[in-house]
Amino acid sequence: MQIIRTVNELLKTVDEAILNGRTIGLVPTMGALHQGHMSLVERAIKENDITFVSIFVNPTQFNNSEDLEHYPRTEAQDIELLENAGVDVAFIPSSNEVYPEPDNRIFDLGEVAEVMEGKMRPGHFNGVAQIVSKLFKWIKPTKAYFGEKDFQQIAVIRSMVKNEKFDLEIVDCPISRENSGLARSSRNERLTKEQRQHAAQIYKTLKQSKDWQNEGLKPSEVIDKVIATLDQIPFLKPEYFNIVNSVTLQPIAQWSDTDLSKGEYPIGCIAVYCGDVRLIDNIKYID
Ligand code: AMP
C-alpha cells in the first residue's frame, strides 16, 4: 500500500491511474477505523480498479474544539487495517497540506443542510463540503463511498456534487452495528464500559419506535415516546429526534407524507449525548 502525505504526490498517482484507464474508488474517513469504515473500504475495493482511503481529522467540520481535541487518532493501527484489506493508497495529509491557506468557501447546500445536524452544529456541513470537495478535485473518484450512519451527510454531499457539477457516483452503504445494536463509531471508544451498555438502548428504542408506528401512533407521538424513553436511561441525553422525508430531510407530519415512487420514505434521525460523547443514529420506516 502506498502511503501519501502530500498533495503533489497524490496528484501524480491519480494522473497515472487515470492515464492507465483505471476506475478510482474513494473512501473519505477521519481515521480511528472500525468495521463500519472497513465495510465501505471492502465495497470500494470490489467495485473499482484502485482504491484510495483518506484519513484526515478535518478541523473545519468541528464546531466544538473539545470534540476535535478528543477525537481518537490511531494512525499505525489504521494503516495496518487498510494494508491487510488490500487498499492501494492511503492519503494521510497534515492540516497545512490540506489548508495551506484558510478555506473561506461558503457552500450553498440547500434545505437538506439546514435541519438536525446543520442546526445543532453550525458550520459543520460547510466544513464537510470543504474537505470532500478538495478530495474529489484531487482524487477524481469514479465512485465515492459514504455510510448511512451519517444519513444527512450523504444528502448534503449529493447536493454539493450537483451544485459543483462533480462527475462521480455517490454510493451509500448500510450502518454497521456492534452486537448490542449500537452503531459503530470512532467516538464509541470514548465511552466507559457502563456507558456503552446504556448507549445500546438508542438503537433498541429506535427499533421499538417501528412497533409504535405500526400500532398507529403519529410521527409526533413516536418522537415524544422515543425522547421520553431515552431520557430515562442513565447517561443518555437526547438532543433531537426528528422523523423526516429521506430525500428532503424535512420533518413529516404524517407517515403518508413521503412518496416511495420518488425514492422517499420516512426516516427517524437522532442525536444523543452519552456522558459528554455525542452519538448519532437513524432508522428507516420501510420494510
Ligand atoms: P468518519 O471517519 O466518522 O468521518 O466516517 C467515515 C465514513 O465512514 C463516513 O462515510 C461514515 O458515514 C462511515 N461510517 C462511520 N461509521 C459507520 C458505521 N457504523 N456504519 C457504516 N458507515 C460508517
mmCIF file of all heavy atoms in Angstrom, residues 27-31 33-34 36-37 39-40 61 71 145-150 153 173-177 183-187, ligand 1:
data_model
loop_
_atom_site.group_PDB
_atom_site.id
_atom_site.type_symbol
_atom_site.label_atom_id
_atom_site.label_comp_id
_atom_site.label_asym_id
_atom_site.label_seq_id
_atom_site.Cartn_x
_atom_site.Cartn_y
_atom_site.Cartn_z
ATOM 1 N N VAL A 27 -12.765 6.334 -0.320
ATOM 2 C CA VAL A 27 -13.466 6.290 0.976
ATOM 3 C C VAL A 27 -12.851 7.362 1.874
ATOM 4 O O VAL A 27 -11.744 7.192 2.389
ATOM 5 C CB VAL A 27 -13.326 4.905 1.656
ATOM 6 C CG1 VAL A 27 -14.135 4.877 2.958
ATOM 7 C CG2 VAL A 27 -13.757 3.783 0.728
ATOM 8 N N PRO A 28 -13.559 8.493 2.049
ATOM 9 C CA PRO A 28 -13.033 9.527 2.942
ATOM 10 C C PRO A 28 -13.337 9.172 4.399
ATOM 11 O O PRO A 28 -14.463 8.787 4.729
ATOM 12 C CB PRO A 28 -13.818 10.793 2.558
ATOM 13 C CG PRO A 28 -14.583 10.447 1.313
ATOM 14 C CD PRO A 28 -14.762 8.962 1.338
ATOM 15 N N THR A 29 -12.329 9.276 5.283
ATOM 16 C CA THR A 29 -12.545 8.985 6.708
ATOM 17 C C THR A 29 -11.750 9.966 7.565
ATOM 18 O O THR A 29 -10.872 10.668 7.076
ATOM 19 C CB THR A 29 -12.070 7.565 7.108
ATOM 20 O OG1 THR A 29 -10.649 7.595 7.347
ATOM 21 C CG2 THR A 29 -12.383 6.526 6.061
ATOM 22 N N MET A 30 -12.086 9.924 8.860
ATOM 23 C CA MET A 30 -11.289 10.683 9.823
ATOM 24 C C MET A 30 -10.455 9.729 10.692
ATOM 25 O O MET A 30 -10.004 10.086 11.778
ATOM 26 C CB MET A 30 -12.204 11.548 10.696
ATOM 27 C CG MET A 30 -12.971 12.570 9.858
ATOM 28 S SD MET A 30 -13.496 13.999 10.791
ATOM 29 C CE MET A 30 -14.606 13.236 11.952
ATOM 30 N N GLY A 31 -10.280 8.492 10.210
ATOM 31 C CA GLY A 31 -9.422 7.547 10.926
ATOM 32 C C GLY A 31 -10.091 6.937 12.140
ATOM 33 O O GLY A 31 -11.309 6.957 12.257
ATOM 34 N N LEU A 33 -10.187 3.782 12.581
ATOM 35 C CA LEU A 33 -11.019 2.931 11.730
ATOM 36 C C LEU A 33 -11.591 1.737 12.484
ATOM 37 O O LEU A 33 -10.936 1.157 13.347
ATOM 38 C CB LEU A 33 -10.193 2.442 10.528
ATOM 39 C CG LEU A 33 -9.621 3.555 9.649
ATOM 40 C CD1 LEU A 33 -8.821 2.954 8.494
ATOM 41 C CD2 LEU A 33 -10.727 4.461 9.102
ATOM 42 N N HIS A 34 -12.843 1.400 12.144
ATOM 43 C CA HIS A 34 -13.519 0.244 12.736
ATOM 44 C C HIS A 34 -14.220 -0.503 11.605
ATOM 45 O O HIS A 34 -14.111 -0.115 10.434
ATOM 46 C CB HIS A 34 -14.508 0.699 13.819
ATOM 47 C CG HIS A 34 -15.423 1.804 13.379
ATOM 48 N ND1 HIS A 34 -16.381 1.629 12.400
ATOM 49 C CD2 HIS A 34 -15.498 3.109 13.740
ATOM 50 C CE1 HIS A 34 -17.028 2.756 12.218
ATOM 51 N NE2 HIS A 34 -16.500 3.692 12.998
ATOM 52 N N GLY A 36 -17.165 -0.530 10.608
ATOM 53 C CA GLY A 36 -18.073 0.293 9.801
ATOM 54 C C GLY A 36 -17.310 0.890 8.625
ATOM 55 O O GLY A 36 -17.721 0.759 7.460
ATOM 56 N N HIS A 37 -16.164 1.527 8.931
ATOM 57 C CA HIS A 37 -15.340 2.072 7.844
ATOM 58 C C HIS A 37 -14.924 0.948 6.882
ATOM 59 O O HIS A 37 -14.935 1.112 5.662
ATOM 60 C CB HIS A 37 -14.046 2.678 8.401
ATOM 61 C CG HIS A 37 -14.247 3.852 9.308
ATOM 62 N ND1 HIS A 37 -13.951 3.815 10.646
ATOM 63 C CD2 HIS A 37 -14.686 5.106 9.073
ATOM 64 C CE1 HIS A 37 -14.193 4.987 11.189
ATOM 65 N NE2 HIS A 37 -14.650 5.804 10.263
ATOM 66 N N SER A 39 -16.296 -1.773 6.081
ATOM 67 C CA SER A 39 -17.326 -2.287 5.166
ATOM 68 C C SER A 39 -17.377 -1.408 3.909
ATOM 69 O O SER A 39 -17.581 -1.900 2.792
ATOM 70 C CB SER A 39 -18.693 -2.374 5.857
ATOM 71 O OG SER A 39 -19.146 -1.091 6.225
ATOM 72 N N LEU A 40 -17.141 -0.098 4.076
ATOM 73 C CA LEU A 40 -17.082 0.800 2.915
ATOM 74 C C LEU A 40 -15.838 0.481 2.077
ATOM 75 O O LEU A 40 -15.888 0.426 0.842
ATOM 76 C CB LEU A 40 -16.999 2.260 3.368
ATOM 77 C CG LEU A 40 -18.276 3.043 3.686
ATOM 78 C CD1 LEU A 40 -19.137 2.375 4.743
ATOM 79 C CD2 LEU A 40 -17.949 4.459 4.130
ATOM 80 N N GLN A 61 -14.680 21.029 10.091
ATOM 81 C CA GLN A 61 -16.037 20.499 10.295
ATOM 82 C C GLN A 61 -16.371 20.307 11.767
ATOM 83 O O GLN A 61 -17.464 19.859 12.103
ATOM 84 C CB GLN A 61 -16.245 19.195 9.518
ATOM 85 C CG GLN A 61 -15.541 17.984 10.103
ATOM 86 C CD GLN A 61 -15.688 16.795 9.186
ATOM 87 O OE1 GLN A 61 -15.109 16.750 8.095
ATOM 88 N NE2 GLN A 61 -16.467 15.799 9.599
ATOM 89 N N TYR A 71 -10.851 13.783 19.636
ATOM 90 C CA TYR A 71 -11.162 12.814 18.587
ATOM 91 C C TYR A 71 -10.045 11.769 18.534
ATOM 92 O O TYR A 71 -8.862 12.110 18.496
ATOM 93 C CB TYR A 71 -11.322 13.512 17.230
ATOM 94 C CG TYR A 71 -12.101 12.646 16.275
ATOM 95 C CD1 TYR A 71 -13.482 12.655 16.295
ATOM 96 C CD2 TYR A 71 -11.456 11.781 15.414
ATOM 97 C CE1 TYR A 71 -14.214 11.821 15.462
ATOM 98 C CE2 TYR A 71 -12.166 10.938 14.580
ATOM 99 C CZ TYR A 71 -13.550 10.970 14.609
ATOM 100 O OH TYR A 71 -14.267 10.131 13.798
ATOM 101 N N TYR A 145 -17.597 6.516 -1.449
ATOM 102 C CA TYR A 145 -18.410 5.692 -0.546
ATOM 103 C C TYR A 145 -18.649 6.398 0.777
ATOM 104 O O TYR A 145 -17.699 6.894 1.407
ATOM 105 C CB TYR A 145 -17.689 4.343 -0.306
ATOM 106 C CG TYR A 145 -17.588 3.564 -1.595
ATOM 107 C CD1 TYR A 145 -16.638 3.898 -2.552
ATOM 108 C CD2 TYR A 145 -18.488 2.545 -1.885
ATOM 109 C CE1 TYR A 145 -16.582 3.214 -3.769
ATOM 110 C CE2 TYR A 145 -18.434 1.858 -3.089
ATOM 111 C CZ TYR A 145 -17.482 2.207 -4.023
ATOM 112 O OH TYR A 145 -17.440 1.541 -5.226
ATOM 113 N N PHE A 146 -19.925 6.433 1.195
ATOM 114 C CA PHE A 146 -20.299 7.083 2.453
ATOM 115 C C PHE A 146 -21.252 6.177 3.230
ATOM 116 O O PHE A 146 -22.030 5.433 2.622
ATOM 117 C CB PHE A 146 -20.967 8.442 2.174
ATOM 118 C CG PHE A 146 -20.018 9.436 1.570
ATOM 119 C CD1 PHE A 146 -19.865 9.518 0.187
ATOM 120 C CD2 PHE A 146 -19.234 10.260 2.370
ATOM 121 C CE1 PHE A 146 -18.959 10.412 -0.388
ATOM 122 C CE2 PHE A 146 -18.330 11.164 1.805
ATOM 123 C CZ PHE A 146 -18.197 11.240 0.433
ATOM 124 N N GLY A 147 -21.215 6.287 4.561
ATOM 125 C CA GLY A 147 -22.032 5.425 5.406
ATOM 126 C C GLY A 147 -23.357 6.080 5.770
ATOM 127 O O GLY A 147 -23.421 7.292 6.018
ATOM 128 N N GLU A 148 -24.394 5.258 5.830
ATOM 129 C CA GLU A 148 -25.726 5.780 6.175
ATOM 130 C C GLU A 148 -25.855 6.136 7.651
ATOM 131 O O GLU A 148 -26.861 6.692 8.062
ATOM 132 C CB GLU A 148 -26.812 4.775 5.774
ATOM 133 C CG GLU A 148 -27.008 4.719 4.276
ATOM 134 C CD GLU A 148 -28.187 3.874 3.855
ATOM 135 O OE1 GLU A 148 -28.611 3.000 4.637
ATOM 136 O OE2 GLU A 148 -28.664 4.073 2.719
ATOM 137 N N LYS A 149 -24.842 5.827 8.447
ATOM 138 C CA LYS A 149 -24.894 6.293 9.840
ATOM 139 C C LYS A 149 -25.003 7.820 9.837
ATOM 140 O O LYS A 149 -25.714 8.410 10.633
ATOM 141 C CB LYS A 149 -23.656 5.871 10.629
ATOM 142 C CG LYS A 149 -23.784 6.300 12.089
ATOM 143 C CD LYS A 149 -22.647 5.824 12.931
ATOM 144 C CE LYS A 149 -21.457 6.733 12.867
ATOM 145 N NZ LYS A 149 -21.666 7.988 13.608
ATOM 146 N N ASP A 150 -24.264 8.434 8.903
ATOM 147 C CA ASP A 150 -24.324 9.890 8.731
ATOM 148 C C ASP A 150 -25.289 10.176 7.576
ATOM 149 O O ASP A 150 -24.870 10.638 6.514
ATOM 150 C CB ASP A 150 -22.919 10.421 8.450
ATOM 151 C CG ASP A 150 -21.968 10.069 9.577
ATOM 152 O OD1 ASP A 150 -21.939 10.787 10.578
ATOM 153 O OD2 ASP A 150 -21.258 9.041 9.474
ATOM 154 N N GLN A 153 -25.487 13.618 6.098
ATOM 155 C CA GLN A 153 -24.244 13.975 5.400
ATOM 156 C C GLN A 153 -24.292 13.532 3.933
ATOM 157 O O GLN A 153 -23.819 14.238 3.038
ATOM 158 C CB GLN A 153 -23.058 13.326 6.119
ATOM 159 C CG GLN A 153 -21.736 13.485 5.407
ATOM 160 C CD GLN A 153 -20.578 13.010 6.255
ATOM 161 O OE1 GLN A 153 -20.055 13.764 7.056
ATOM 162 N NE2 GLN A 153 -20.150 11.772 6.103
ATOM 163 N N CYS A 173 -23.747 3.256 1.929
ATOM 164 C CA CYS A 173 -23.517 1.924 2.495
ATOM 165 C C CYS A 173 -24.251 1.804 3.831
ATOM 166 O O CYS A 173 -24.311 2.772 4.597
ATOM 167 C CB CYS A 173 -22.021 1.718 2.728
ATOM 168 S SG CYS A 173 -21.043 2.006 1.248
ATOM 169 N N PRO A 174 -24.806 0.613 4.119
ATOM 170 C CA PRO A 174 -25.624 0.449 5.328
ATOM 171 C C PRO A 174 -24.827 0.629 6.625
ATOM 172 O O PRO A 174 -23.604 0.506 6.628
ATOM 173 C CB PRO A 174 -26.135 -0.992 5.214
ATOM 174 C CG PRO A 174 -25.273 -1.660 4.215
ATOM 175 C CD PRO A 174 -24.717 -0.609 3.315
ATOM 176 N N ILE A 175 -25.554 0.895 7.703
ATOM 177 C CA ILE A 175 -24.921 1.109 9.015
ATOM 178 C C ILE A 175 -24.388 -0.219 9.545
ATOM 179 O O ILE A 175 -25.094 -1.222 9.547
ATOM 180 C CB ILE A 175 -25.946 1.661 10.035
ATOM 181 C CG1 ILE A 175 -26.554 2.969 9.534
ATOM 182 C CG2 ILE A 175 -25.284 1.851 11.401
ATOM 183 C CD1 ILE A 175 -27.604 3.565 10.479
ATOM 184 N N SER A 176 -23.149 -0.205 9.993
ATOM 185 C CA SER A 176 -22.573 -1.376 10.657
ATOM 186 C C SER A 176 -22.734 -1.183 12.159
ATOM 187 O O SER A 176 -22.434 -0.108 12.692
ATOM 188 C CB SER A 176 -21.103 -1.486 10.237
ATOM 189 O OG SER A 176 -20.385 -2.281 11.122
ATOM 190 N N ARG A 177 -23.226 -2.225 12.842
ATOM 191 C CA ARG A 177 -23.543 -2.113 14.273
ATOM 192 C C ARG A 177 -22.743 -3.095 15.112
ATOM 193 O O ARG A 177 -22.372 -4.169 14.626
ATOM 194 C CB ARG A 177 -25.045 -2.372 14.500
ATOM 195 C CG ARG A 177 -25.924 -1.379 13.788
ATOM 196 C CD ARG A 177 -27.408 -1.587 14.052
ATOM 197 N NE ARG A 177 -28.161 -0.554 13.344
ATOM 198 C CZ ARG A 177 -28.316 0.694 13.783
ATOM 199 N NH1 ARG A 177 -27.829 1.042 14.968
ATOM 200 N NH2 ARG A 177 -28.966 1.592 13.056
ATOM 201 N N ALA A 183 -24.619 1.658 16.886
ATOM 202 C CA ALA A 183 -23.956 1.952 15.614
ATOM 203 C C ALA A 183 -22.461 2.145 15.876
ATOM 204 O O ALA A 183 -22.074 2.870 16.801
ATOM 205 C CB ALA A 183 -24.546 3.217 14.997
ATOM 206 N N ARG A 184 -21.630 1.473 15.072
ATOM 207 C CA ARG A 184 -20.187 1.641 15.265
ATOM 208 C C ARG A 184 -19.796 3.088 14.998
ATOM 209 O O ARG A 184 -20.290 3.710 14.056
ATOM 210 C CB ARG A 184 -19.409 0.734 14.313
ATOM 211 C CG ARG A 184 -19.554 -0.725 14.627
ATOM 212 C CD ARG A 184 -18.651 -1.565 13.723
ATOM 213 N NE ARG A 184 -19.189 -2.900 13.592
ATOM 214 C CZ ARG A 184 -19.031 -3.865 14.498
ATOM 215 N NH1 ARG A 184 -18.317 -3.629 15.594
ATOM 216 N NH2 ARG A 184 -19.571 -5.047 14.308
ATOM 217 N N SER A 185 -18.910 3.596 15.845
ATOM 218 C CA SER A 185 -18.439 4.971 15.687
ATOM 219 C C SER A 185 -17.085 5.096 16.368
ATOM 220 O O SER A 185 -16.853 4.467 17.410
ATOM 221 C CB SER A 185 -19.432 5.939 16.348
ATOM 222 O OG SER A 185 -18.833 7.203 16.523
ATOM 223 N N SER A 186 -16.208 5.896 15.779
ATOM 224 C CA SER A 186 -14.908 6.137 16.426
ATOM 225 C C SER A 186 -15.131 6.716 17.813
ATOM 226 O O SER A 186 -14.355 6.472 18.734
ATOM 227 C CB SER A 186 -14.079 7.101 15.583
ATOM 228 O OG SER A 186 -13.983 6.626 14.258
ATOM 229 N N ARG A 187 -16.199 7.482 17.981
ATOM 230 C CA ARG A 187 -16.462 8.127 19.274
ATOM 231 C C ARG A 187 -16.872 7.123 20.352
ATOM 232 O O ARG A 187 -16.782 7.433 21.532
ATOM 233 C CB ARG A 187 -17.528 9.216 19.132
ATOM 234 C CG ARG A 187 -17.052 10.439 18.357
ATOM 235 C CD ARG A 187 -18.090 11.551 18.371
ATOM 236 N NE ARG A 187 -17.608 12.751 17.699
ATOM 237 C CZ ARG A 187 -17.714 12.992 16.391
ATOM 238 N NH1 ARG A 187 -18.276 12.102 15.600
ATOM 239 N NH2 ARG A 187 -17.244 14.117 15.877
HETATM 240 P P1 AMP B 1 -15.832 9.219 9.821
HETATM 241 O O1 AMP B 1 -14.449 8.682 9.954
HETATM 242 O O2 AMP B 1 -16.641 9.118 11.082
HETATM 243 O O3 AMP B 1 -15.898 10.574 9.166
HETATM 244 O O4 AMP B 1 -16.577 8.234 8.820
HETATM 245 C C1 AMP B 1 -16.068 7.989 7.533
HETATM 246 C C2 AMP B 1 -17.130 7.296 6.716
HETATM 247 O O5 AMP B 1 -17.462 6.054 7.342
HETATM 248 C C3 AMP B 1 -18.430 8.114 6.659
HETATM 249 O O6 AMP B 1 -18.985 7.988 5.364
HETATM 250 C C4 AMP B 1 -19.289 7.440 7.690
HETATM 251 O O7 AMP B 1 -20.673 7.577 7.439
HETATM 252 C C5 AMP B 1 -18.850 5.997 7.555
HETATM 253 N N1 AMP B 1 -19.177 5.275 8.781
HETATM 254 C C6 AMP B 1 -18.794 5.583 10.050
HETATM 255 N N2 AMP B 1 -19.340 4.716 10.918
HETATM 256 C C7 AMP B 1 -20.103 3.856 10.188
HETATM 257 C C8 AMP B 1 -20.933 2.735 10.510
HETATM 258 N N3 AMP B 1 -21.120 2.333 11.771
HETATM 259 N N4 AMP B 1 -21.532 2.078 9.507
HETATM 260 C C9 AMP B 1 -21.377 2.496 8.218
HETATM 261 N N5 AMP B 1 -20.614 3.531 7.852
HETATM 262 C C10 AMP B 1 -19.986 4.203 8.812
#
